[in-house]
Amino acid sequence: LTDVQVEPLTRVTTDETFRPVAHFIEGMRSAQQQGVVTEDDADLWIAALEEAIQTGRFFHAMTSFITSGRKGL
């Protein structure tokens, strides 16, 4: 590839209504059901997330990368 370009895009939010919050909890419960974490660990993690939301300390950032380039003929 030539003319390769990479552009990072970061989304930052402190809005607890941000849709992925529900997915975080679902993901933790899925990890619990698959035996990756214990029920106690899942409960503690979810409680910490909920406390952060309730006390205004919730913070979420996600970076994606857009890449492009030209393929030679």
Side-chain angles (χ1 to χ4, degrees):
L1 291 179
T2 60
D3 299 322
V4 175
Q5 296 180 7
V6 178
E7 182 177 347
L9 300 170
T10 301
R11 178 177 178 173
V12 176
T13 185
T14 57
D15 181 2
E16 70 274 2
T17 62
F18 182 55
R19 183 182 172 125
V21 169
H23 295 293
F24 296 156
I25 294 171
E26 291 170 10
M28 183 56 71
R29 288 297 177 207
S30 177
Q32 172 196 336
Q33 291 167 357
Q34 295 175 29
V36 177
V37 298
T38 66
E39 182 177 1
D40 287 343
D41 286 343
D43 290 345
L44 286 171
W45 188 89
I46 292 168
L49 176 63
E50 290 173 342
E51 180 184 355
I53 290 168
Q54 292 170 357
T55 60
R57 294 182 298 117
F58 175 76
F59 175 86
H60 177 267
M62 186 169 84
T63 301
S64 301
F65 295 89
I66 297 175
T67 59
S68 64
R70 294 178 188 238
K71 183 177 177 181
L73 296 175

